[in-house]
Amino acid sequence: MKNIMEMDPIEALELLNILVNDQIFAARERLIVLLNEPPSAENRRELETEFREFYCGYESLAFFLETYEEDPLKGLPRHESLAKKLKRQREYILANRKTTLEERMSRRAGAYMNSDPMPEKKISELPTDEYRKLLRMLVSLELFSVQEPFLALLEQNAPLTELDVAFREFFVAYELLELALEAYHYDPDEGLELRPEVIERLEQSIADIEAGGKTYSLEEVFEELEGE
């Protein structure tokens, strides 16, 4: 992902609108409502459904942001309070992060690299009180407080220079969410029942590959999609 200021302005605005309107924000609001209800078996099931949406929103954010290589602190005036805040947050992230980018990308694809042992905490097996405590922590993270002013800037057609600064703050807040989830194992597909036709297609795909059929890299898939 390129620096926002190096992108075509229309392309940059389209990307920023996708980010601030991601499904994670609507799922977060629904989680807050459920967390304000008393614990029960039904409440737990509803929380698990909404958390799946929340996590899938996190994955969609990661799809756009995980390859962003620009230093979010680069170019920010040193004396600004925002620059100081982001510097503290980035230092905390880098000091506490235990996974590489490749390991995080592999996790989101549903697998663990040999260098990345599975976390001991499995979200689906947490006791209800611990599960609710985790969700309360997640919905209170800074990503959700920076989204609203960022969205307002977009609606006001703010200059790209202002949006670039807001994006940097948004990106660091995303990294804090990513770090908060790092200690937990979660599979959003766990417990979901596949339709027979989906299972049939998967089995056919596996059979084709085992028979020597062609496989495609991510780059080839993206090229194919862009050509449609």
Side-chain angles (χ1 to χ4, degrees):
M1 178 179 166
K2 296 181 291 186
N3 184 320
I4 296 297
M5 297 302 295
E6 295 175 355
M7 297 173 67
D8 174 89
I10 295 177
E11 181 186 10
L13 290 174
E14 288 178 348
L15 172 61
L16 297 179
N17 272 289
I18 288 172
L19 295 176
V20 299
N21 287 290
D22 187 88
Q23 72 186 73
I24 193 173
F25 299 104
R28 181 248 185 180
E29 295 304 313
R30 294 192 294 268
L31 279 175
I32 290 174
V33 172
L34 291 170
L35 287 168
N36 286 327
E37 297 178 358
S40 67
E42 178 63 23
N43 178 259
R44 171 80 185 222
R45 286 192 292 271
E46 291 176 342
L47 284 171
E48 289 173 347
T49 298
E50 288 305 335
F51 180 68
R52 182 179 290 113
E53 293 296 313
F54 179 96
Y55 191 88
C56 289
Y58 153 67
E59 289 183 314
S60 69
L61 278 181
F63 177 80
F64 292 103
L65 297 175
E66 63 192 359
T67 56
Y68 179 67
E69 297 179 352
E70 184 74 13
D71 181 354
L73 305 181
K74 183 179 179 181
L76 288 175
R78 292 180 179 274
H79 65 277
E80 285 192 2
S81 59
L82 175 60
K84 293 178 181 177
K85 183 192 79 170
L86 295 185
K87 183 175 184 296
R88 289 194 304 271
Q89 290 177 334
R90 282 285 288 169
E91 288 174 347
Y92 173 80
I93 292 165
L94 297 177
N96 290 278
R97 180 183 279 163
K98 295 179 174 62
T99 56
T100 65
L101 173 59
E102 291 74 18
E103 288 168 345
R104 294 191 295 278
M105 292 175 70
S106 182
R107 283 188 183 195
R108 285 189 283 269
Y112 283 81
M113 299 176 66
N114 291 335
S115 58
D116 179 20
M118 182 179 291
E120 294 181 3
K121 298 177 182 179
K122 190 173 182 181
I123 289 180
S124 63
E125 297 179 354
L126 293 176
T128 295
D129 58 343
E130 190 174 344
Y131 182 63
R132 290 171 65 91
K133 182 178 179 181
L134 171 64
L135 296 189
R136 287 189 183 280
M137 181 272 289
L138 292 174
V139 300
S140 301
L141 289 173
E142 188 163 347
L143 179 68
F144 305 105
S145 61
V146 303
Q147 182 248 3
E148 188 172 339
F150 193 3
L151 183 60
L153 286 174
L154 284 165
E155 293 174 345
Q156 295 163 11
N157 296 314
L160 197 55
T161 50
E162 290 185 37
L163 295 174
D164 178 50
V165 173
F167 168 77
R168 294 164 189 249
E169 186 177 16
F170 185 92
F171 176 76
V172 174
Y174 151 78
E175 287 191 307
L176 288 169
L177 168 64
E178 184 180 60
L179 183 63
L181 288 167
E182 187 181 55
Y184 296 89
H185 168 70
Y186 181 71
D187 179 2
D189 296 327
E190 183 178 354
L192 294 181
E193 183 177 349
L194 289 177
R195 298 191 305 274
E197 61 269 25
V198 175
I199 295 174
E200 183 179 350
R201 287 201 300 270
L202 288 172
E203 291 176 344
Q204 184 60 53
S205 297
I206 292 171
D208 291 342
I209 292 171
E210 291 177 344
K214 179 176 174 55
T215 59
Y216 296 87
S217 67
L218 282 176
E219 289 78 9
E220 289 173 317
V221 173
F222 288 140
E223 288 175 4
E224 181 71 19
L225 290 173
E226 289 173 355
E228 293 182 354

